[in-house]
Each structure stands twice: as structure tokens, then as C-alpha cells.
DNA sequence: CCTCAATGTATCCAGTGGATACATAGCCAC
DNA sequence: GTGGCTATGTATCCACTGGATACATTGAGG
């Protein structure tokens, strides 16, 4: 449980998440290991279990931080094309983190308070930028989901090498086109 | 490599892929293990390495079979809504396999011949069903990519529990709506 | 028959997530 | 103070993983 001050180490829970984020950013392809994290923190690997019940719980906390960070990034987007571009660039710039964020198990998202909150913040920002102000809730939700699905799916396909696009810049331009949010003439 | 007839076991390579598909279908959440597979085949776990250089190579072969199977399923779809519905249902019905298919590494897809071929077959079918016959290649490709991105992204979000849709049927109906493909009597 | 390469086996290794048992350190009640 | 309580961290073990090396078996072709 965070919030507790320093006993031996000084808030190990927070430091663990910080260091894990650094490790994941440094080498997204390497699978994240509790032992490697513990070694970097100069701590017995078992110490982490005093703060996170399982490895998955730690990953959920990392994901939560990722969604907070993503929401903050997206909040700067003035319109739909900027939103989509920012989302895609975040995912491509932080592939390991994006995986941790989006590959959590169904149940975990609702179980982990911070994670649920992070996801909801992203959705809230999206509703503000992407949805038509006057429309009913169902329509607004669908407008958001459409962009989200295109973005999430496009990222997955791009990273899997299914698309034949060379650079990430090219991909961003292309996905704006595909989503119907062309950079010049754009619709809702 | 395959093609070789029975020495001790009878084509172990083919049997390994078959049995692996069964295991993945039986328990998608369980992480696939070479030892468990070998035990089911009644063979030393190291024997598999005589046919597949690494675990990833085996997974690539599994993915190739998955794409073949998917292409065959999709070929029956008469129009775009049916195509999208069939794709989504395939993924939701075979979650473990779909993960193996879509989470291969970029380089692997082009390295593994069968895998590349399987992906291309799916794309070919998609072009036939989803693209406007008269349009130029860029437009046709984008039409396919748009549906593919919505499908792939939607599946990922649904499975991650990001959407709030209860049943898979509900999800199929919703994604047809979101993709702008009418929801009249379609069912797979 | 006899060689030889393909195939399968035995055994080892380092690394993993996780569990149990124990040591330590700070806080509070007395 | 002091003694206990609980949160924290450590030591050690376990079953399991992917992978490597060394060896046994098998069957086909000379």
C-alpha cells in the first residue's frame, strides 16, 4: 500500500513503478521481470510482493500511470486530427508501456482503482475533443469508439508489420486519411 | 523441416502444430509451453527443437495456420458487413490463436514463408469483398485498412474490457454500426 | 552388412513468478 | 524506557520455463 512513508527503503512501491517505467522504456522488447527490477532497486525480489500482491498487480499500477500520462498528453490536442495523431504517437513512442496498458486482463481494469480511473480520464478527454457537442450520448460514445478503434487497431497492425508503411510519420498521415480526419479538409 | 516422412514418430512437426492449436483453443489464457506440448505428444520436450529452431518459430507456424483458416472463413462472406462480422467472430471465438497470429514480431512475418502467405491471402480476400471495384489501388487499400483497423482495434478494446459491451453479439452489432456498415440481417 | 545423417532422449543450465519462514525496524501502549 | 505488534525486507526453496550439449536410436542407401 503506497502512502506509507519510508521504513527501510523509502516508498518502495512508488520507486518500483518509476523504475519499471524506465526499464520498459529502455527496452520494450525485453520481457519485464520482477527480479531484474528488484536488482535495479537494490532489494530482494521478494520485497516487491509486500507492495504488490502479484506481478500482474504491479503491471496494473504501471498501466495506470501510463493512462494518466496519456490523458495528460491528449488534453493538449485541440481537435480530432490532433487527438488521433497524439494518441498514435504516444503509442509508437512508448511501445512497451502501451502494451502493458492495453494488454491487461478484462477483470483487472475494473479491479484496480487507479487503472479504471486512468482509462476513464482518457475517455473523458476523448469525449471532449472527438464527440459532437449536441448529439445524444450513444452517438457521442460511438464517435469516440470509432476513432479509438481505428487508432488502436492501426497501431497494432503497424507494429505487427501488417501494413507496408515505412516510417511512423507516414503511418500517422495515413491513419488520419483512413479515419477521415485528413489534415487539410477535415470533418467532424 | 516438414515434408519428411515418419522416422520415429511420424510427422512430428505437423502433429505439434495440430496439438498446439488444440491446446491454445482449450485454454487461451494459459501461456503456451513447449513442455506441456511435448508431454501431450508423448515426446521429450527437446524433440520439438529438431523441427522448430525456437519456440517463436513454432508459434509462427501456428500463426500461419491461423491465417489460412481465417482466410477460408472470410471467403464465405458475401459483403462488407458479413466480412467484418466474420472477422470479429473468428477472433472472439479463437482468442488465443488470434493473439498468436497478431502478436508475431514484425520481422517474423516476412521471414516465415507460410506466415507471409497466410497474411497475404487474408488481404486478398479482403480486397475482393471490401474494396470498390473501380477505384484506384490507393483507395482500395485504404478501404480495406479502414475496416481492418476498426476490426482489430475493436477486438483489442473489447477483450481488454475498455468497452462496456456485455455480450459478443452486442459487440458485433455495435462495431458494424461504428464502422458505418448497416446492421440489417447479418449473422455468421 | 555398415555407415551416416536425421530424429529423439537424458540431463543440465540460468532464469522466472511465487511461497514459506525468518529477521529487522519503527510505532504505540503501558 | 520497554515490550510487543505490525509493516517491511531477506533468505531460501519450489515448480516451471526456454534453451543447450551430449548421446542413443533408427532407418535408408551404399
Amino acid at each position: 500500500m503506497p502512502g506509507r512513508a519510508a521504513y527501510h527503503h523509502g516508498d518502495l512501491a512508488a520507486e518500483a513503478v518509476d523504475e519499471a517505467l524506465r526499464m520498459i522504456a529502455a527496452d520494450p522488447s525485453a520481457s519485464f521481470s520482477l527480479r531484474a527490477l528488484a536488482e535495479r532497486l537494490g532489494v530482494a525480489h521478494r520485497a516487491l510482493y509486500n507492495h504488490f500482491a502479484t506481478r500482474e498487480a504491479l503491471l496494473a499500477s504501471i498501466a495506470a500511470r501510463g493512462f494518466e500520462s496519456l490523458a495528460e498528453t491528449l488534453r493538449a490536442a485541440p481537435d480530432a486530427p490532433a487527438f488521433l495523431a497524439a494518441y498514435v504517437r504516444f503509442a509508437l513512442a512508448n511501445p512497451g508501456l502501451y502494451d502493458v496498458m492495453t494488454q491487461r486482463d478484462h477483470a483487472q481494469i475494473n479491479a484496480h482503482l487507479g487503472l479504471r480511473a486512468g482509462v476513464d480520464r482518457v475517455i473523458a478527454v476523448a469525449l471532449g475533443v472527438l464527440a459532437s457537442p449536441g448529439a445524444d450520448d450513444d452517438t457521442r460514445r460511438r464517435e469516440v469508439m470509432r476513432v479509438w478503434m481505428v487508432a488502436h487497431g492501426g497501431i497494432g497492425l503497424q507494429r505487427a508489420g501488417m501494413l507496408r508503411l515505412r516510417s511512423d510519420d507516414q503511418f500517422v498521415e495515413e491513419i488520419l486519411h483512413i479515419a477521415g480526419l485528413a489534415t487539410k479538409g477535415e470533418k467532424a
Side-chain angles (χ1 to χ4, degrees), chain A:
Chain A
M1 307 286 193
R4 206 80 183 74
Y7 265 90
H8 303 113
H9 189 92
D11 201 346
L12 180 60
E15 278 190 47
V17 175
D18 284 346
E19 187 62 33
L21 283 168
R22 259 174 254 130
M23 289 173 66
I24 290 170
D27 188 356
S29 66
S31 66
F32 171 74
S33 128
L34 288 180
R35 297 188 95 125
L37 172 60
E39 190 182 11
R40 270 175 168 255
L41 292 167
V43 115
H45 90 279
R46 199 49 186 72
L48 296 170
Y49 285 98
N50 289 321
H51 301 274
F52 306 95
T54 71
R55 168 197 152 95
E56 285 303 304
L58 207 183
L59 288 172
S61 289
I62 295 168
R65 280 271 277 272
F67 277 108
E68 297 291 342
S69 171
L70 175 58
E72 200 169 332
T73 298
L74 295 177
R75 197 168 292 122
D79 55 13
F83 182 98
L84 176 54
Y87 185 99
V88 167
R89 288 194 190 281
F90 180 94
L92 296 179
N94 308 282
L97 177 57
Y98 190 74
D99 282 346
V100 172
M101 289 162 60
T102 56
Q103 284 171 17
R104 294 306 82 218
D105 194 73
H106 189 122
Q108 274 184 327
I109 290 185
N110 295 312
H112 187 111
L113 289 185
L115 182 49
R116 180 74 258 172
V119 173
D120 286 344
R121 278 175 73 173
V122 169
I123 292 175
V125 173
L127 276 167
V129 180
L130 300 177
S132 311
D136 61 300
D137 282 357
D138 258 17
T139 301
R140 290 164 53 79
R141 187 176 47 73
R142 288 200 180 107
E143 286 170 336
V144 167
M145 290 307 157
R146 193 179 80 89
V147 175
W148 200 4
M149 286 181 185
V150 170
H152 184 58
I155 289 158
L157 294 178
Q158 165 73 356
R159 287 181 47 190
M162 304 280 190
L163 315 177
R164 309 282 197 158
L165 301 172
R166 286 145 291 204
S167 73
D168 286 349
D169 283 343
Q170 208 177 1
F171 171 66
V172 171
E173 192 182 342
E174 181 71 11
I175 202 173
L176 285 169
H177 221 117
I178 289 172
L181 304 173
T183 39
K184 354 178 192 176
E186 134 257 342
K187 62 167 203 174

